[in-house]
Amino acid sequence: MPNERIPDMGSTITIEKPVFNLLLSRLKEEGYLPIGPRVKNETLVYEEIESIDDLPQGYSTEQKPGNFRLVHEKHSRFFDIIPGAQSWKQFLFPSQTELFAMQKNGKSWEISSQPMETPKYAFIGVRACELAAIQIQDGIFMREDFTDPHYRARRIHAFVISVNCTQPAGTCFCTSMGTGPRVKEEFDVNLTELDDVFVLTIGSEVARRLLAGIPFDDASGYILSNVERKLEHAEHQMTRKLESSDLPNLIIDHLDHPYWLEIGKRCLSCTNCTQVCPTCFCWDTQDEMSLDGKTTRRNRLWDSCFNPGYSHQAGGNTRPTIYSRYRQWLSHKLGTWKQQFGTLGCVGCGRCITWCPAEIDITEEIAALRNEVNR
Ligand code: SF4
Ligand code: SF4
Ligand code: SF4
């Protein structure tokens, strides 16, 4: 018989799948806005969810370079999909944020900013690589010496229900980057989906409180070994690899190698890889003036090192060619990022491979550069 105790911190329990709706209701009662994966316009998006019925039950995804396809397999599972182009970045660091506005008052200007938005999100279905990406962005936007108030206001209240991946996509390579497919830390609740139950590990006191009175069973040894078997299977299924033992030096020591010119011939400088990347954080500010000249707004917008204007400085453009912009992106992500932040800037989510219209594959480019260098 399911009991109604409060689960212990760090314990692993099982709930019947419909019971997940009780947790969603609790989150809403506590003022959270639950966001999760949904099928919309024949693709996957992260949007508000009302109940478990909004999740992509029965779907999985096929992903390969330059290709994403939703497949409706009509199975009963809710979390077999691997995320699409969107990531949680759009909620913590939105693509456009108003920093302040000004109104003309006679001959002077008055600042008339909107109050800062402080939504209380519950993220449902955060993958291990995505959690690693959030931790990277935390390190950028919530540094000890400088904290971005907009990011912080969104991040500190976020409730995270992470999900262990049991079906990696063809472009995933988190095992190479040490980030997945199993979630290890930094969650409120971590979920593994079996055919008939959700297996939940409790990671915070907030989660304990929200789960109080919700019917659950302690996870049996059989359930735990079933979870372990599925995760080991997922790790073995992941065939895509990025050899990182010689990074960042492979890149930093060969910035003048002619191979960069070869990649530059294929890259379209479209910016897709930077827009979908959950760790990319570059932004620009733009002023937007009303036609009557009485109001102006300063907005922060996502930018990309592939935009020619990004490198435009007084006296000219420091990266006028496509190859130099691709080299900047890769040599930051897998090179100088390490000196700057202590880790590589890639979590192995594979989005930049799936969503590159030229089918440029970061794992293959690194392998090809290594081959060229060692020839
Ligand atoms: S560089 Fe590519 S694989 Fe790595 S985190 Fe960014 S989008 Fe994901
Ligand atoms: S890269 Fe790993 S953690 Fe991320 S979605 Fe794929 S399997 Fe899951
Ligand atoms: S690598 Fe691909 S996604 Fe990135 S800018 Fe070039 S063509 Fe676009």
Side-chain angles (χ1 to χ4, degrees):
M1 274 289 285
N3 61 56
E4 296 196 355
R5 289 177 288 127
I6 301 177
D8 292 333
M9 182 72 183
S11 64
T12 300
I13 61 172
T14 61
I15 60 169
E16 301 293 328
K17 291 186 181 178
V19 170
F20 196 77
N21 280 329
L22 289 178
L23 176 57
L24 290 176
S25 301
R26 287 277 171 81
L27 285 164
K28 282 187 265 184
E29 282 162 25
E30 297 257 343
Y32 288 99
L33 181 65
I35 307 283
R38 296 186 72 147
V39 175
K40 187 175 177 186
N41 299 331
E42 297 179 23
T43 192
L44 268 180
V45 295
Y46 285 148
E47 268 194 357
E48 184 177 354
I49 56 166
E50 290 288 331
S51 81
I52 195 171
D53 297 331
D54 294 331
L55 294 170
Q57 186 179 23
Y59 282 91
S60 60
T61 54
E62 274 179 18
Q63 301 194 37
K64 52 188 180 184
N67 201 293
F68 176 93
R69 197 162 79 90
L70 261 183
V71 184
H72 196 199
E73 293 179 326
K74 298 185 182 143
H75 55 69
S76 62
R77 294 178 298 279
F78 294 88
F79 291 106
D80 267 15
I81 49 94
I82 290 296
Q86 296 189 351
S87 71
W88 305 101
K89 173 170 96 170
Q90 73 196 53
F91 299 99
L92 298 174
F93 167 43
S95 58
Q96 178 166 331
T97 305
E98 183 182 305
L99 298 178
F100 63 86
M102 292 201 298
Q103 292 279 349
K104 197 158 195 183
N105 184 3
K107 290 193 173 171
S108 62
W109 288 86
E110 283 176 2
I111 293 198
S112 62
S113 297
Q114 300 290 329
M116 190 161 43
E117 286 182 40
T118 56
K120 204 174 157 188
Y121 291 121
F123 296 146
I124 318 286
V126 181
R127 307 299 169 142
C129 61
E130 297 184 304
L131 211 39
I134 290 173
Q135 285 171 261
I136 284 178
Q137 292 221 320
D138 285 352
I140 293 159
F141 289 113
M142 298 204 299
R143 286 167 30 172
E144 275 178 25
D145 57 343
F146 175 76
T147 290
D148 180 277
H150 299 273
Y151 183 93
R152 187 171 192 281
R154 291 160 176 267
R155 176 68 176 108
I156 55 170
H157 298 300
F159 185 89
V160 173
I161 300 183
S162 53
V163 170
N164 281 325
C165 293
T166 53
Q167 306 273 353
T171 48
C172 295
F173 57 100
C174 56
T175 49
S176 300
M177 309 315 288
T179 56
R182 66 178 79 210
V183 177
K184 294 181 192 128
E185 56 190 4
E186 299 288 329
F187 55 83
D188 290 286
V189 175
N190 184 39
L191 182 155
T192 311
E193 181 168 21
L194 301 182
D195 278 340
D196 43 2
V197 289
F198 289 140
V199 184
L200 308 181
T201 299
I202 314 305
S204 73
E205 286 301 328
V206 181
R208 282 192 75 217
R209 186 165 48 77
L210 284 165
L211 284 158
I214 287 181
F216 70 89
D217 280 317
D218 294 322
S220 64
Y222 172 76
I223 292 275
L224 292 177
S225 62
N226 201 356
V227 167
E228 190 55 33
R229 200 166 51 245
K230 275 183 168 281
L231 291 176
E232 280 174 10
H233 179 67
E235 282 161 3
H236 289 130
Q237 261 189 316
M238 203 174 304
T239 49
R240 185 174 297 279
K241 306 273 179 233
L242 189 147
E243 171 57 54
S244 60
S245 58
D246 54 358
L247 297 174
N249 290 355
L250 171 69
I251 296 175
I252 291 170
D253 294 346
H254 300 97
L255 290 174
D256 292 328
H257 197 282
Y259 189 68
W260 299 110
L261 294 168
E262 198 283 319
I263 307 175
K265 286 182 198 153
R266 288 177 281 133
C267 174
L268 308 171
S269 205
C270 69
T271 80
N272 267 18
C273 47
T274 50
Q275 304 303 289
V276 297
C277 179
T279 67
C280 277
F281 59 91
C282 288
W283 48 270
D284 188 17
T285 52
Q286 287 182 10
D287 290 342
E288 178 191 326
M289 180 70 100
S290 64
L291 285 176
D292 63 7
K294 290 183 177 162
T295 311
T296 181
R297 287 193 174 73
R298 176 155 296 176
N299 296 316
R300 176 168 79 179
L301 300 110
W302 288 357
D303 201 352
S304 167
C305 51
F306 283 95
N307 281 329
Y310 182 90
S311 318
H312 209 95
Q313 299 170 18
N317 194 328
T318 52
R319 298 183 201 112
T321 55
I322 290 182
Y323 93 83
S324 62
R325 296 201 284 278
Y326 185 88
R327 180 181 59 185
Q328 157 60 26
W329 181 66
L330 201 69
S331 63
H332 189 210
K333 193 84 28 196
L334 296 176
T336 52
W337 200 294
K338 185 132 191 177
Q339 297 161 353
Q340 201 177 1
F341 301 113
T343 62
L344 295 179
C346 172
V347 294
C349 74
R351 282 181 176 84
C352 58
I353 305 171
T354 301
W355 298 95
C356 174
E359 300 179 17
I360 293 174
D361 175 339
I362 188 171
T363 63
E364 286 186 1
E365 298 310 332
I366 287 294
L369 176 64
R370 184 177 294 113
N371 281 344
E372 290 289 324
V373 163
N374 294 332
R375 250 194 334 178

